[in-house]
């Protein structure tokens, strides 16, 4: 079972702003594959952001939900004005001369619906919530637009009593994520007057499960001097496999029930940075065409990985500097003044185990006449990438340096 929880938080402190009302485009988006309308922009942004985060944390785990970050920032743009709005959308990879703001927001609305509704075999909860101080009031236009396109839920909280407000927010997130995220905020004082939360709860199953009885304690080599013990899962079956002739890595692709698929990429020792630097839409497309069904003895650790980031500095490096400096204008959110966005925080958690819909009896016994299976052991740092195959959305990107 793959189990993933994601929380993206945008903190805003005090200011005044101007709104755009995005109107639905007149064109029929079905003429342009609406289920993949935003995919090129979102995936390009995903890899750009991922590479920034990896570069800023050498030797450490990285894990994000790019499509959720894109959704939150696109929604925030509805409350921005002038150059700030353009910065947000252009920073997400959109060319406003080729795609109108209305098309962008309508595209996110359609994407959100597809990710939430299309996979009846998965358990998925997605949503947006904004908590604002009782002294603030959202502009009707912003509330209408964000509710229409992003299904935003607006709630009041008493931020003068941060202990009470934090408990209220924690309880809300706990309920929305079925108790999987608790105590998201501490009861320490906060100067926030408005908090935007974008969340996704995902629970899926492997199409072909790992053998529960075959999981064993094994070594994972973090680097030349550090070795840790992990629970190593095992599966012996026909798997999509590639020993890449272009990049120094091997990879496998495993499917979940529904539309989700995952790439596990194992770089040659010392070549992690080389592989990550070349990750792109073109690389994923080439891999998808080059993978072949092969008999594989596959070893992958059973692990949980979390990542938490203040994206403000990273957004600045990517051309969205207005999120942090004093020139930021978000006068389209509340009737009162809010000077700037003070923090952009993202948190994601992934838990990986053996379970799937098919029995572990899928594990094969190799006959003498059968070809010898390939063996691939993810017992050193690797890359994990989870995509929605129908929409081509980059749900999660991770670099696993230490799975313990």
């Amino acid at each position: 079972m793959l189990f993933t929880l994601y929380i993206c938080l945008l903190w805003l402190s005090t200011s005044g702003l101007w709104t755009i009302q995005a109107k639905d485009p007149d064109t029929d988006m079905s003429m342009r594959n609406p289920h993949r309308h935003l995919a090129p922009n979102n995936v390009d942004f995903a890899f750009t952001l991922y590479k920034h985060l990896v570069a800023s944390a050498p030797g450490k785990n990285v894990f994000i939900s790019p499509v959720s970050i894109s959704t939150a920032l696109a929604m925030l743009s509805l409350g921005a004005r002038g150059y700030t709005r353009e910065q947000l959308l252009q920073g997400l990879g959109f060319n406003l001369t080729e795609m109108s703001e209305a098309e962008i927001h309508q595209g996110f609305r359609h994407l959100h619906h597809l990710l939430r509704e299309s996979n009846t075999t998965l358990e998925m909860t997605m949503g947006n919530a904004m908590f604002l101080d009782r002294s603030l009031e959202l502009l009707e236009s912003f509330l209408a637009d964000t509710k229409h396109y992003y299904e935003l839920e607006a709630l009041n909280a008493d931020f003068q009593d941060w202990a009470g407000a934090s408990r209220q927010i924690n309880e809300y997130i706990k309920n929305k994520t079925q108790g999987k995220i608790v105590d998201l905020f501490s009861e320490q004082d906060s100067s926030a007057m408005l908090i935007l939360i974008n969340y996704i709860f995902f629970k899926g199953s492997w199409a072909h499960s790992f053998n529960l009885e075959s999981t064993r304690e094994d070594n994972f080599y973090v680097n030349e001097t550090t070795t840790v013990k992990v629970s190593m899962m095992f599966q012996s079956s026909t798997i999509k496999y590639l020993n890449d002739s272009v990049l120094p890595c091997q990879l496998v692709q495993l499917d979940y029930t529904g539309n989700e698929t995952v790439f596990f990429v194992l770089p040659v020792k010392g070549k992690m940075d080389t592989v990550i630097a070349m990750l792109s839409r073109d690389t994923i497309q080439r891999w998808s065409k080059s993978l072949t069904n092969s008999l594989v003895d596959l070893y992958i650790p059973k692990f949980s990985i979390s990542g938490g980031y203040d994206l403000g500095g990273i957004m600045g490096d990517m051309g969205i500097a207005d999120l942090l400096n004093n020139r930021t204008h978000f006068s389209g959110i509340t009737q009162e003044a809010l000077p700037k966005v003070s923090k952009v925080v993202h948190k994601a958690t992934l838990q990986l185990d053996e379970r799937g819909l098919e029995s572990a009896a899928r594990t094969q016994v190799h006959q003498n006449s059968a070809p010898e299976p390939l063996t691939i052991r993810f017992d050193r740092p690797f890359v994990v990438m989870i995509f929605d195959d129908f929409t081509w959305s980059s749900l999660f990107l991770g670099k696993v340096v230490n799975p313990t």
Side-chain angles (χ1 to χ4, degrees), residues 264-279:
F264 290 102
V265 184
L266 185 66
V268 171
K269 290 181 181 179
K271 298 296 184 179
M272 173 70 81
D273 291 342
T274 301
V275 173
I276 289 179
M278 296 302 294
L279 291 178

Side-chain angles (χ1 to χ4, degrees), residues 190-208:
S190 170
S191 60
M193 296 290 285
L194 188 152
I195 301 176
L196 173 62
I197 304 174
N198 169 264
Y199 60 88
I200 174 173
F201 165 80
F202 173 83
K203 183 178 181 180
S205 298
W206 297 113
H208 305 298

Side-chain angles (χ1 to χ4, degrees), residues 10 12 20 42 45 69-96 101 104-105 108 142 196 311 315-316 318-324 328-330 333 341 344:
L10 305 177
L12 296 82
I20 346 172
N42 283 345
F45 171 75
I69 294 174
S70 293
T71 299
L73 293 177
M75 179 171 64
L76 183 63
S77 76
L78 285 169
R81 73 176 180 185
Y83 185 54
T84 301
R85 183 175 73 253
E86 295 177 10
Q87 276 192 313
L88 276 170
L89 296 177
Q90 291 174 1
L92 292 175
F94 295 105
N95 185 335
L96 296 179
E101 292 178 55
I104 293 170
H105 296 302
F108 274 108
F142 177 78
L196 173 62
L311 296 178
M315 292 297 103
M318 297 173 66
I320 315 180
D322 267 3
L323 284 179
L324 290 181
T328 300
H329 295 287
F330 284 90
I333 296 179
V341 178
V344 182

Side-chain angles (χ1 to χ4, degrees), residues 202-218:
F202 173 83
K203 183 178 181 180
S205 298
W206 297 113
H208 305 298
S209 60
F210 288 80
N211 190 333
L212 283 165
E213 296 179 355
S214 297
T215 299
R216 297 284 188 274
E217 185 179 74
D218 206 344

